Amino acid sequence: MGKTSDLTAVQKTIIDTLHKEGKTQKVIAKEAGCSQSSVSKHINRQAKGRKKCGRKKCTSSRDNRTLQRIVTTNPFKNVGEIHKEWTAAGVSASRTTTRRLMKDMGFRCRIPCVKPLLNMKQRKKRLAWAKDKKDWTDAEWSKVMFSDESKFCISFGNQGPRVWRKSGEAQNPRCMRSSVNFPPSVMVWGAMSSAGVGPLCFLRSRVNAAVYQEVLEHFMLPAADQLYGDADFTFQQDLAPAHSAKTTSTWFKDHGIPVLDWPANSPDLNPIENLWGIVKRRMQYARPNNAEELKTTIRATWALITPEQCHRLIESMPRRITAVIEAKGAPTKY
Protein backbone atom coordinates (compact mmCIF):
# COMPACT_ATOMS: atom_id res chain seq x y z
CA MET A 1 0.00 0.00 0.00
CA GLY A 2 1.79 3.12 -1.21
CA LYS A 3 -0.90 5.69 -1.83
CA THR A 4 -2.45 7.88 0.83
CA SER A 5 -5.75 7.63 -1.04
CA ASP A 6 -5.77 3.92 -0.11
CA LEU A 7 -5.77 4.69 3.60
CA THR A 8 -9.03 4.27 5.48
CA ALA A 9 -10.41 6.93 7.81
CA VAL A 10 -9.48 4.73 10.79
CA GLN A 11 -5.88 4.36 9.57
CA LYS A 12 -5.54 8.11 9.07
CA THR A 13 -6.82 8.74 12.59
CA ILE A 14 -4.31 6.25 14.02
CA ILE A 15 -1.45 7.87 12.07
CA ASP A 16 -2.41 11.38 13.23
CA THR A 17 -2.75 10.27 16.85
CA LEU A 18 0.54 8.37 17.01
CA HIS A 19 2.36 11.14 15.13
CA LYS A 20 1.25 13.68 17.75
CA GLU A 21 2.56 11.32 20.44
CA GLY A 22 6.00 11.43 18.79
CA LYS A 23 6.10 7.85 17.52
CA THR A 24 8.40 6.98 14.64
CA GLN A 25 6.99 6.34 11.18
CA LYS A 26 8.06 2.71 11.39
CA VAL A 27 6.08 2.16 14.59
CA ILE A 28 3.10 4.07 13.21
CA ALA A 29 3.10 1.98 10.01
CA LYS A 30 3.09 -1.21 12.07
CA GLU A 31 0.23 -0.03 14.30
CA ALA A 32 -1.84 1.31 11.38
CA GLY A 33 -1.24 -1.76 9.23
CA CYS A 34 0.10 0.13 6.19
CA SER A 35 3.42 0.87 4.52
CA GLN A 36 5.87 3.38 5.94
CA SER A 37 5.74 5.39 2.70
CA SER A 38 1.97 5.82 3.10
CA VAL A 39 2.52 7.12 6.62
CA SER A 40 5.20 9.53 5.37
CA LYS A 41 3.04 10.86 2.54
CA HIS A 42 0.03 11.33 4.82
CA ILE A 43 2.08 13.22 7.44
CA ASN A 44 3.71 15.42 4.79
CA ARG A 45 0.34 16.23 3.19
CA GLN A 46 -1.09 17.20 6.57
CA ALA A 47 1.96 19.35 7.34
CA LYS A 48 1.81 21.22 4.01
CA GLY A 49 -1.96 21.68 4.27
CA ARG A 50 -2.29 20.36 0.73
CA LYS A 51 -5.80 20.63 -0.66
CA LYS A 52 -7.59 18.03 -2.72
CA CYS A 53 -7.04 18.13 -6.44
CA GLY A 54 -9.92 18.80 -8.80
CA ARG A 55 -11.36 21.15 -11.35
CA LYS A 56 -12.00 24.69 -10.21
CA LYS A 57 -15.67 25.53 -9.69
CA CYS A 58 -17.21 27.39 -12.60
CA THR A 59 -19.69 29.30 -10.43
CA SER A 60 -19.22 31.72 -7.58
CA SER A 61 -21.11 31.95 -4.30
CA ARG A 62 -23.06 34.84 -5.78
CA ASP A 63 -24.05 32.71 -8.79
CA ASN A 64 -25.22 29.97 -6.45
CA ARG A 65 -27.34 32.41 -4.47
CA THR A 66 -28.92 33.57 -7.72
CA LEU A 67 -29.79 29.97 -8.59
CA GLN A 68 -31.31 29.36 -5.17
CA ARG A 69 -33.40 32.52 -5.50
CA ILE A 70 -34.69 31.40 -8.92
CA VAL A 71 -35.73 27.98 -7.62
CA THR A 72 -37.31 29.40 -4.46
CA THR A 73 -39.26 32.05 -6.37
CA ASN A 74 -40.83 29.57 -8.77
CA PRO A 75 -40.33 25.97 -7.60
CA PHE A 76 -42.66 24.55 -10.29
CA LYS A 77 -40.23 25.28 -13.14
CA ASN A 78 -38.39 22.34 -14.68
CA VAL A 79 -34.58 22.12 -14.87
CA GLY A 80 -34.48 23.44 -18.43
CA GLU A 81 -36.44 26.58 -17.54
CA ILE A 82 -34.38 27.17 -14.40
CA HIS A 83 -31.12 26.70 -16.33
CA LYS A 84 -32.26 29.12 -19.05
CA GLU A 85 -33.14 31.82 -16.51
CA TRP A 86 -29.89 31.28 -14.60
CA THR A 87 -27.67 31.55 -17.69
CA ALA A 88 -29.65 34.63 -18.79
CA ALA A 89 -28.41 36.25 -15.58
CA GLY A 90 -24.83 35.97 -16.88
CA VAL A 91 -23.81 32.59 -15.43
CA SER A 92 -21.83 30.19 -17.62
CA ALA A 93 -22.78 26.66 -16.58
CA SER A 94 -24.16 23.49 -18.15
CA ARG A 95 -27.59 22.03 -17.49
CA THR A 96 -25.92 19.15 -15.65
CA THR A 97 -24.15 21.63 -13.36
CA THR A 98 -27.47 23.37 -12.72
CA ARG A 99 -29.12 20.11 -11.65
CA ARG A 100 -26.13 19.08 -9.51
CA LEU A 101 -26.01 22.41 -7.68
CA MET A 102 -29.76 22.30 -7.04
CA LYS A 103 -29.28 18.86 -5.52
CA ASP A 104 -26.35 20.09 -3.42
CA MET A 105 -28.58 22.89 -2.11
CA GLY A 106 -31.03 20.28 -0.88
CA PHE A 107 -33.70 20.63 -3.59
CA ARG A 108 -35.45 17.47 -4.77
CA CYS A 109 -38.03 17.13 -7.55
CA ARG A 110 -41.24 15.88 -5.92
CA ILE A 111 -44.94 15.58 -6.66
CA PRO A 112 -46.57 18.53 -4.83
CA CYS A 113 -49.06 17.98 -2.03
CA VAL A 114 -52.59 19.04 -2.90
CA LYS A 115 -54.51 21.10 -0.35
CA PRO A 116 -57.69 23.16 -0.67
CA LEU A 117 -57.36 26.92 -0.68
CA LEU A 118 -58.90 28.48 2.43
CA ASN A 119 -59.79 32.13 2.99
CA MET A 120 -59.49 33.75 6.41
CA LYS A 121 -63.20 33.32 7.19
CA GLN A 122 -62.99 29.58 6.52
CA ARG A 123 -59.83 29.28 8.62
CA LYS A 124 -61.52 31.00 11.56
CA LYS A 125 -64.50 28.64 11.32
CA ARG A 126 -62.20 25.60 11.14
CA LEU A 127 -60.30 26.82 14.19
CA ALA A 128 -63.52 27.46 16.14
CA TRP A 129 -64.83 24.01 15.16
CA ALA A 130 -61.58 22.32 16.24
CA LYS A 131 -61.59 24.09 19.61
CA ASP A 132 -65.19 23.02 20.15
CA LYS A 133 -64.36 19.35 19.40
CA LYS A 134 -60.91 19.14 21.01
CA ASP A 135 -62.22 17.36 24.13
CA TRP A 136 -64.15 14.67 22.26
CA THR A 137 -63.07 11.14 23.15
CA ASP A 138 -62.49 8.15 20.88
CA ALA A 139 -65.81 6.75 22.09
CA GLU A 140 -67.63 9.89 20.91
CA TRP A 141 -65.93 9.82 17.52
CA SER A 142 -66.77 6.13 17.13
CA LYS A 143 -70.45 7.15 17.07
CA VAL A 144 -69.88 9.27 13.96
CA MET A 145 -70.46 7.82 10.48
CA PHE A 146 -68.17 9.63 8.04
CA SER A 147 -69.16 9.90 4.39
CA ASP A 148 -67.81 11.35 1.17
CA GLU A 149 -67.80 11.08 -2.61
CA SER A 150 -64.68 10.40 -4.64
CA LYS A 151 -63.78 10.10 -8.32
CA PHE A 152 -61.86 7.10 -9.62
CA CYS A 153 -60.08 7.23 -12.96
CA ILE A 154 -59.16 4.48 -15.35
CA SER A 155 -55.64 5.97 -15.52
CA PHE A 156 -53.82 7.01 -12.35
CA GLY A 157 -50.67 8.23 -14.11
CA ASN A 158 -51.44 11.94 -14.59
CA GLN A 159 -50.20 13.57 -11.40
CA GLY A 160 -49.51 17.04 -12.83
CA PRO A 161 -46.33 19.14 -12.65
CA ARG A 162 -43.63 18.39 -10.12
CA VAL A 163 -42.10 20.85 -7.67
CA TRP A 164 -38.55 21.58 -6.48
CA ARG A 165 -38.44 21.63 -2.70
CA LYS A 166 -36.14 20.84 0.19
CA SER A 167 -36.64 18.26 2.93
CA GLY A 168 -39.38 19.37 5.31
CA GLU A 169 -41.04 21.73 2.80
CA ALA A 170 -43.86 19.40 1.71
CA GLN A 171 -46.44 21.49 3.58
CA ASN A 172 -44.95 24.86 2.59
CA PRO A 173 -47.73 26.79 0.76
CA ARG A 174 -45.38 27.82 -2.06
CA CYS A 175 -44.62 24.14 -2.77
CA MET A 176 -48.26 23.04 -2.93
CA ARG A 177 -50.87 23.26 -5.66
CA SER A 178 -54.60 23.79 -5.35
CA SER A 179 -57.03 20.90 -5.71
CA VAL A 180 -58.28 20.20 -9.21
CA ASN A 181 -60.93 17.77 -10.46
CA PHE A 182 -59.77 14.42 -11.73
CA PRO A 183 -60.60 13.46 -15.33
CA PRO A 184 -64.21 12.20 -15.63
CA SER A 185 -64.63 8.53 -14.82
CA VAL A 186 -66.59 6.97 -11.95
CA MET A 187 -68.02 8.87 -8.99
CA VAL A 188 -68.43 6.79 -5.83
CA TRP A 189 -70.20 7.51 -2.53
CA GLY A 190 -69.09 5.64 0.58
CA ALA A 191 -69.36 5.68 4.36
CA MET A 192 -67.26 4.39 7.25
CA SER A 193 -67.16 4.23 11.03
CA SER A 194 -64.83 2.67 13.58
CA ALA A 195 -66.66 -0.61 12.98
CA GLY A 196 -65.84 -0.79 9.26
CA VAL A 197 -67.16 0.36 5.89
CA GLY A 198 -70.65 0.45 4.42
CA PRO A 199 -71.79 -0.43 0.88
CA LEU A 200 -70.60 1.69 -2.04
CA CYS A 201 -72.89 3.65 -4.31
CA PHE A 202 -71.82 4.39 -7.89
CA LEU A 203 -73.39 7.66 -8.96
CA ARG A 204 -74.62 7.78 -12.55
CA SER A 205 -75.58 11.43 -12.78
CA ARG A 206 -74.79 14.80 -11.28
CA VAL A 207 -75.58 14.77 -7.57
CA ASN A 208 -78.40 17.15 -6.73
CA ALA A 209 -80.53 17.12 -3.58
CA ALA A 210 -82.98 14.54 -4.96
CA VAL A 211 -80.22 12.15 -6.07
CA TYR A 212 -78.41 12.54 -2.77
CA GLN A 213 -81.53 11.73 -0.77
CA GLU A 214 -81.91 8.54 -2.83
CA VAL A 215 -78.34 7.64 -1.86
CA LEU A 216 -79.15 8.26 1.79
CA GLU A 217 -82.30 6.16 1.59
CA HIS A 218 -80.83 3.15 -0.22
CA PHE A 219 -77.20 3.15 0.92
CA MET A 220 -76.69 5.26 4.04
CA LEU A 221 -79.53 3.69 6.04
CA PRO A 222 -78.37 0.11 5.23
CA ALA A 223 -74.83 1.16 6.17
CA ALA A 224 -76.10 2.48 9.51
CA ASP A 225 -77.90 -0.83 10.20
CA GLN A 226 -74.74 -2.73 9.30
CA LEU A 227 -72.33 -0.60 11.35
CA TYR A 228 -74.48 0.48 14.33
CA GLY A 229 -77.50 -1.81 14.51
CA ASP A 230 -80.01 -0.19 16.87
CA ALA A 231 -77.44 2.12 18.49
CA ASP A 232 -77.55 5.88 18.01
CA PHE A 233 -75.09 7.56 15.66
CA THR A 234 -74.30 10.95 14.13
CA PHE A 235 -73.91 11.40 10.39
CA GLN A 236 -71.05 13.43 8.89
CA GLN A 237 -71.13 15.08 5.47
CA ASP A 238 -69.37 18.02 3.84
CA LEU A 239 -71.04 21.23 2.76
CA ALA A 240 -71.71 20.35 -0.89
CA PRO A 241 -74.89 22.05 -2.22
CA ALA A 242 -76.82 18.76 -2.35
CA HIS A 243 -75.85 18.04 1.26
CA SER A 244 -76.80 21.42 2.66
CA ALA A 245 -80.08 21.81 0.72
CA LYS A 246 -83.21 22.48 2.76
CA THR A 247 -84.92 19.35 1.47
CA THR A 248 -81.92 17.27 2.59
CA SER A 249 -82.04 18.83 6.06
CA THR A 250 -85.75 18.00 6.18
CA TRP A 251 -84.97 14.40 5.20
CA PHE A 252 -82.59 14.02 8.16
CA LYS A 253 -85.12 15.54 10.56
CA ASP A 254 -87.87 13.23 9.30
CA HIS A 255 -85.62 10.20 9.87
CA GLY A 256 -84.38 11.42 13.26
CA ILE A 257 -80.71 11.36 12.27
CA PRO A 258 -78.46 14.08 13.79
CA VAL A 259 -75.89 15.62 11.43
CA LEU A 260 -72.45 16.70 12.63
CA ASP A 261 -71.68 20.37 11.98
CA TRP A 262 -68.74 20.51 9.59
CA PRO A 263 -66.36 23.30 8.45
CA ALA A 264 -66.08 24.10 4.74
CA ASN A 265 -63.17 22.83 2.63
CA SER A 266 -61.90 20.45 5.30
CA PRO A 267 -61.04 17.09 3.69
CA ASP A 268 -58.02 16.88 6.01
CA LEU A 269 -60.43 16.44 8.93
CA ASN A 270 -62.34 13.58 7.31
CA PRO A 271 -60.72 10.14 7.83
CA ILE A 272 -62.60 8.64 4.89
CA GLU A 273 -60.35 10.73 2.63
CA ASN A 274 -57.43 8.61 3.85
CA LEU A 275 -59.51 5.52 3.15
CA TRP A 276 -60.04 6.62 -0.45
CA GLY A 277 -56.28 7.13 -0.66
CA ILE A 278 -55.64 3.58 0.56
CA VAL A 279 -58.03 2.16 -2.03
CA LYS A 280 -56.46 4.18 -4.87
CA ARG A 281 -52.92 3.20 -3.90
CA ARG A 282 -53.91 -0.46 -3.92
CA MET A 283 -55.42 0.05 -7.36
CA GLN A 284 -52.46 1.90 -8.88
CA TYR A 285 -51.25 -1.16 -10.77
CA ALA A 286 -54.71 -2.22 -11.92
CA ARG A 287 -55.44 -1.56 -15.59
CA PRO A 288 -59.22 -1.67 -16.12
CA ASN A 289 -60.25 -1.27 -19.76
CA ASN A 290 -63.64 0.31 -19.16
CA ALA A 291 -65.92 1.75 -16.49
CA GLU A 292 -67.46 -1.61 -15.57
CA GLU A 293 -64.06 -3.19 -14.97
CA LEU A 294 -63.12 -0.14 -12.92
CA LYS A 295 -66.23 -0.54 -10.75
CA THR A 296 -65.42 -4.21 -10.20
CA THR A 297 -61.87 -3.33 -9.12
CA ILE A 298 -63.13 -0.63 -6.75
CA ARG A 299 -65.67 -3.01 -5.13
CA ALA A 300 -63.03 -5.72 -4.66
CA THR A 301 -60.51 -3.30 -3.15
CA TRP A 302 -63.13 -1.66 -0.89
CA ALA A 303 -64.09 -5.10 0.42
CA LEU A 304 -60.51 -5.62 1.63
CA ILE A 305 -60.72 -2.68 4.04
CA THR A 306 -60.69 -4.08 7.58
CA PRO A 307 -62.45 -2.73 10.70
CA GLU A 308 -59.00 -2.35 12.30
CA GLN A 309 -57.95 0.10 9.57
CA CYS A 310 -61.14 2.11 10.05
CA HIS A 311 -60.70 2.13 13.82
CA ARG A 312 -57.14 3.49 13.50
CA LEU A 313 -58.34 6.26 11.22
CA ILE A 314 -61.13 7.24 13.61
CA GLU A 315 -58.59 7.29 16.46
CA SER A 316 -56.65 9.94 14.52
CA MET A 317 -59.42 12.54 14.97
CA PRO A 318 -57.95 14.08 18.16
CA ARG A 319 -54.59 14.45 16.38
CA ARG A 320 -56.25 16.05 13.35
CA ILE A 321 -58.04 18.55 15.57
CA THR A 322 -54.84 19.38 17.44
CA ALA A 323 -53.07 19.94 14.11
CA VAL A 324 -55.79 22.38 12.98
CA ILE A 325 -55.53 24.32 16.24
CA GLU A 326 -51.73 24.48 15.98
CA ALA A 327 -52.03 25.63 12.34
CA LYS A 328 -54.63 28.26 13.37
CA GLY A 329 -57.16 26.85 10.92
CA ALA A 330 -54.80 26.37 7.96
CA PRO A 331 -54.72 23.08 5.99
CA THR A 332 -52.80 20.29 7.75
CA LYS A 333 -50.74 17.29 6.64
CA TYR A 334 -53.71 14.95 6.95
Side-chain angles (χ1 to χ4, degrees), residues 44 61 76 111 114 117 138 167 284 290 327 333:
N44 290 335
S61 298
F76 288 91
I111 297 171
V114 181
L117 293 175
D138 290 342
S167 177
Q284 63 180 333
N290 51 54
K333 65 179 182 178

Side-chain angles (χ1 to χ4, degrees), residues 18-268:
L18 295 179
H19 179 63
K20 289 179 181 179
E21 294 176 357
K23 303 292 183 181
T24 64
Q25 292 186 4
K26 185 175 182 180
V27 173
I28 295 174
K30 185 176 180 181
E31 291 292 331
C34 61
S35 65
Q36 189 172 337
S37 62
S38 295
V39 174
S40 177
K41 288 179 180 179
H42 177 73
I43 293 174
N44 290 335
R45 170 172 287 185
Q46 293 294 99
K48 294 178 181 179
R50 181 181 174 186
K51 297 182 180 179
K52 292 183 178 179
C53 300
R55 182 180 177 183
K56 185 179 179 180
K57 293 183 178 180
C58 64
T59 61
S60 63
S61 298
R62 183 176 181 179
D63 295 333
N64 294 346
R65 289 196 299 271
T66 302
L67 175 61
Q68 184 163 4
R69 184 170 62 252
I70 292 171
V71 179
T72 305
T73 302
N74 195 339
F76 288 91
K77 286 186 175 182
N78 58 41
V79 176
E81 293 170 332
I82 293 172
H83 174 69
K84 185 177 180 180
E85 185 174 345
W86 193 34
T87 53
V91 179
S92 178
S94 67
R95 181 168 173 162
T96 302
T97 299
T98 304
R99 179 184 288 275
R100 177 177 55 77
L101 285 175
M102 289 167 63
K103 187 176 180 180
D104 291 344
M105 292 174 185
F107 291 106
R108 299 293 184 271
C109 193
R110 297 287 186 261
I111 297 171
C113 296
V114 181
K115 298 290 182 181
L117 293 175
L118 295 170
N119 56 41
M120 286 306 300
K121 185 178 179 180
Q122 291 171 334
R123 290 190 181 191
K124 289 180 181 179
K125 288 186 176 181
R126 277 166 53 90
L127 181 59
W129 183 91
K131 289 180 177 179
D132 182 59
K133 302 292 189 294
K134 66 183 178 65
D135 294 325
W136 276 34
T137 63
D138 290 342
E140 289 175 294
W141 285 115
S142 67
K143 296 179 181 178
V144 178
M145 181 193 292
F146 292 89
S147 69
D148 189 37
E149 296 90 7
S150 183
K151 274 188 178 179
F152 284 77
C153 308
I154 289 179
S155 174
F156 294 93
N158 184 17
Q159 296 172 315
R162 299 174 78 90
V163 62
W164 290 98
R165 69 183 187 218
K166 295 182 179 181
S167 177
E169 291 186 337
Q171 301 299 320
N172 190 316
R174 70 174 185 80
C175 298
M176 297 163 63
R177 63 185 178 90
S178 302
S179 303
V180 295
N181 292 331
F182 289 99
S185 189
V186 176
M187 176 69 85
V188 187
W189 178 92
M192 66 167 287
S193 74
S194 61
V197 297
L200 291 176
C201 174
F202 292 93
L203 304 169
R204 298 182 180 180
S205 60
R206 185 176 179 179
V207 180
N208 54 29
V211 172
Y212 184 60
Q213 289 159 35
E214 288 292 321
V215 173
L216 296 175
E217 189 76 38
H218 299 292
F219 291 90
M220 190 275 282
L221 292 180
D225 292 337
Q226 172 187 330
L227 299 174
Y228 293 99
D230 296 330
D232 294 332
F233 72 97
T234 300
F235 185 69
Q236 179 277 335
Q237 59 182 1
D238 59 28
L239 300 183
H243 302 177
S244 56
K246 290 183 179 180
T247 54
T248 302
S249 299
T250 301
W251 187 94
F252 281 110
K253 290 179 182 178
D254 292 343
H255 288 76
I257 299 174
V259 178
L260 181 69
D261 61 301
W262 196 254
N265 286 351
S266 299
D268 53 335

